[in-house]
Amino acid sequence: MVETNFAVYDTEDIRRKDRDHIIHPWTDFSTFKEEGSEIFAESEGIYVYNSDGDRFIDGIGGLWCVNVGYGRDEIAQAMADQARRICYYSTFTHITTPPAAEFAHRLCGYAPDDINHLFYGTGGSMSNDTAIRIIHFYFNRLGKPKKKHIISRVDGYHGSTYMAMSLTGVAFDHVGFDIVTDIVHHIPAPNPYRRPEGMTVEDFCDEKVKDLEDKILEIGPENVAAFIAEPIMGAGGVVVPPHGYHARTREVCSEYEVLYISDEVVTGFGRVGHIFASEPVFDLRPDFIVTAKGITSGYVPLSATMIGDQVYDVISVPQAEGALFTHGFTYSGHPVSCAAGLANLDIIEREDICGHVREIGPYFEERLTELLELPVVGDVRGKCFMMCVENVADRETKELFAPEIKIGERISKHCQQRGLIVRPIGHLNVMSPPLILTREQIDTFVDILRESIVTTQDDLVREGLWKG
Ligand SMILES: Cc1ncc(COP(=O)(O)O)c(C=O)c1O
């Protein structure tokens, strides 16, 4: 960590300025104006420090993104060097910079064989939007302008630009806002924990695959452009689909000329042990892979929409004279971001971060699974360093606590008091730590979480909110 004297931070002053001027993503205005923000000011490895100097294990990697951990001089140096060489140049109309070209080359080397092109953005939402714009353009170019509809899934999360939020299927996120409904459809989530009583996982998988086919037939295959899915649903509850789901939904898509977008914004860059999870983990060869977050381990914004040859070959055919591919952002392929991406990839390769995750991730899963001994824990699920605990009021019926009990938030608060950050999402607690977590750190992590859940259970009984 850089030499720090926490006295330089005036916590109250920062909090006041923040509260007076910043509108935060997902602000809860029922509490924000009273409580203000938590201030994280310093970091090192798997730890973040608040402005008073208290240390926390960052159990959520910033927001599923600080994959190689905090305080990496190598990334900071690469960014500084690049900013001195050439801080910025646009990549519009045939201009590039050395790091933008080199990073694209290295990323495509990790994608499935037939994905050899990418379009840079600065965030996952933007790169999902890019995928949709390109897909519409592709079908227009093919002379199939009716093919515009997109199928997504309930509880899928794809971002919060207008189109990305429309693709998102988390009902809570739509409350009070508008979304696009004429060309976006949601089919049920393949969540095995919530499958009908008595149904096998195999039958459930058949049903979820059929949901996709039924929806395509209902809309009419001639109108359906794409299916979008995260390999493992993240914000919607860390849902790992049944074995074979992705490969089979891919087959359905191929049958009806529907393109497959694999949203790997969270699963990419080692989180489940591979740079991209689609093919090695799920036997899925999508037409698009969307990636962001871990692409720079969060050191600076960057994202990429990776595009298969079939689509590229159509969109890159010369158009009417003078017509351009009119899509792009000022910061597409920003050289400082790409330099950070290259340094991040160097670290992932040199330290064999993916190998570490494949080796130690199952231990994290195993230790967390022990929490099923606790009466409030209904399910522990996920893969490697993408995990979640589902808390329920009744394990037999899987009944949830009333939302106002804020079970996830209570547990997270107890964790934070003990030096661990886990993310509450409704009744869930979600975990996505830096990928450098060691076995010993996993033990500390799980011990704190267990103690926090037990304390929460005791609180609920004491407050008369739960029988135990
Ligand atoms: C799977 C997935 N896709 C897209 C996004 C949106 O990315 P961003 O917030 O960078 O726009 C997220 C963000 O959490 C995500 O989890």
Side-chain angles (χ1 to χ4, degrees):
M1 187 170 59
V2 283
E3 205 54 40
T4 300
N5 170 7
F6 283 94
V8 301
Y9 298 112
D10 180 343
T11 297
E12 276 322 304
D13 183 55
I14 299 167
R15 188 165 287 135
R16 189 176 55 253
K17 287 172 177 161
D18 175 88
R19 193 180 44 220
D20 287 351
H21 302 292
I22 298 184
I23 302 171
H24 292 262
W26 269 251
T27 297
D28 180 350
F29 281 113
S30 66
T31 52
F32 175 68
K33 290 182 183 174
E34 292 274 301
E35 295 172 11
S37 295
E38 177 78 35
I39 301 152
F40 291 118
E42 302 283 332
S43 62
E44 183 183 34
I46 64 159
Y47 300 105
V48 288
Y49 296 76
N50 67 16
S51 48
D52 298 324
D54 301 319
R55 190 180 84 161
F56 305 88
I57 296 174
D58 184 8
I60 57 173
L63 193 59
W64 323 87
C65 57
V66 186
N67 290 9
V68 298
Y70 294 93
R72 294 282 196 165
D73 278 340
E74 192 176 335
I75 302 180
Q77 192 60 50
M79 288 162 57
D81 289 349
Q82 183 56 47
R84 286 192 194 96
R85 281 192 196 104
I86 182 162
C87 65
Y88 171 75
Y89 215 87
S90 124
T91 54
F92 276 59
T93 46
H94 320 182
I95 299 168
T96 197
T97 60
E102 179 62 19
F103 195 41
H105 173 70
R106 284 184 57 190
L107 284 184
C108 288
Y110 277 106
D113 288 348
D114 52 354
I115 293 189
N116 290 299
H117 296 87
L118 62 77
F119 191 93
Y120 284 124
T122 56
S125 311
M126 175 193 283
S127 284
N128 278 324
D129 267 36
T130 290
I132 304 304
R133 280 204 84 212
I134 290 179
I135 287 167
H136 284 176
F137 182 64
Y138 165 80
F139 282 116
N140 290 344
R141 301 281 302 140
L142 282 182
K144 298 180 179 178
K146 281 169 64 188
K147 257 179 143 9
K148 291 284 147 68
H149 290 245
I150 316 292
I151 301 176
S152 184
R153 300 173 308 164
V154 171
D155 288 342
Y157 184 80
H158 301 292
S160 76
T161 52
Y162 214 107
M163 180 50 89
M165 182 50 94
S166 304
L167 299 172
T168 292
V170 182
F172 176 83
D173 292 343
H174 294 161
V175 176
F177 281 86
D178 290 354
I179 56 167
V180 173
T181 52
D182 52 346
I183 56 161
V184 178
H185 311 260
H186 296 98
I187 57 173
N191 182 350
Y193 180 64
R194 293 279 165 194
R195 71 185 184 279
E197 183 74 31
M199 185 184 266
T200 65
V201 174
E202 290 73 24
D203 288 349
F204 179 66
C205 185
D206 292 347
E207 187 186 272
K208 293 307 109 194
V209 174
K210 191 166 178 302
D211 285 345
L212 175 62
E213 184 163 24
D214 289 350
K215 185 54 83 179
I216 293 172
L217 293 173
E218 180 194 319
I219 303 164
E222 69 284 7
N223 300 317
V224 183
F227 174 55
I228 182 167
E230 301 151 87
I232 298 175
M233 281 181 176
V238 190
V239 173
V240 185
H243 180 72
Y245 171 85
H246 285 301
R248 291 177 59 197
T249 47
R250 160 84 251 190
E251 279 171 23
V252 170
C253 288
S254 299
E255 193 178 333
Y256 296 103
E257 204 194 2
V258 170
L259 297 172
Y260 199 115
I261 307 168
S262 183
D263 181 347
E264 291 229 34
V265 167
V266 171
T267 52
F269 294 91
R271 184 139 303 280
V272 294
H274 299 271
I275 296 293
F276 300 117
S278 294
E279 195 173 24
V281 182
F282 296 100
D283 201 18
L284 166 68
R285 290 175 75 111
D287 298 292
F288 286 77
I289 291 180
V290 175
T291 184
K293 294 195 187 269
I295 194 170
T296 60
S297 282
Y299 278 72
V300 70
L302 183 67
S303 64
T305 306
M306 306 191 69
I307 300 158
D309 295 342
Q310 183 195 330
V311 172
Y312 179 75
D313 289 348
V314 171
I315 65 169
S316 62
V317 165
Q319 303 152 54
E321 219 173 304
L324 304 178
F325 175 77
T326 48
H327 183 71
F329 311 101
T330 301
Y331 295 134
S332 288
H334 195 290
V336 174
S337 303
C338 291
L342 284 165
N344 181 52
L345 199 52
D346 286 344
I347 292 170
I348 292 176
E349 288 174 355
R350 195 179 58 241
E351 298 183 8
D352 188 19
I353 299 262
C354 290
H356 172 75
V357 171
R358 289 197 300 274
E359 190 196 322
I360 208 106
Y363 181 66
F364 191 43
E365 292 174 31
E366 189 186 306
R367 288 290 338 263
L368 287 170
T369 302
E370 291 168 15
L371 300 175
L372 282 168
E373 295 161 12
L374 304 176
V376 89
V377 177
D379 195 24
V380 174
R381 58 176 178 261
K383 188 165 175 54
C384 293
F385 285 146
M386 185 174 176
M387 297 295 297
C388 151
V389 170
E390 177 158 351
N391 306 292
V392 292
D394 185 326
R395 290 207 326 182
E396 287 303 304
T397 62
K398 302 181 183 175
E399 188 195 333
L400 298 178
F401 285 98
E404 56 276 16
I405 288 183
K406 298 190 174 175
I407 178 79
E409 209 174 296
R410 283 172 180 257
I411 293 170
S412 286
K413 276 188 177 154
H414 280 303
C415 285
Q416 198 150 333
Q417 281 160 10
R418 292 164 173 76
L420 169 70
I421 298 169
V422 298
R423 184 173 172 210
I425 303 183
H427 60 289
L428 311 170
N429 292 99
V430 167
M431 290 149 277
S432 55
L435 309 181
I436 52 173
L437 209 64
T438 63
R439 206 169 264 270
E440 294 70 36
Q441 289 166 338
I442 286 174
D443 289 337
T444 308
F445 189 125
V446 179
D447 289 349
I448 295 176
L449 182 57
R450 173 183 281 269
E451 209 181 296
S452 303
I453 296 173
V454 169
T455 309
T456 304
Q457 289 178 165
D458 295 345
D459 291 347
L460 293 175
V461 172
R462 202 185 50 252
E463 293 170 37
L465 296 169
W466 187 55
K467 291 201 180 70

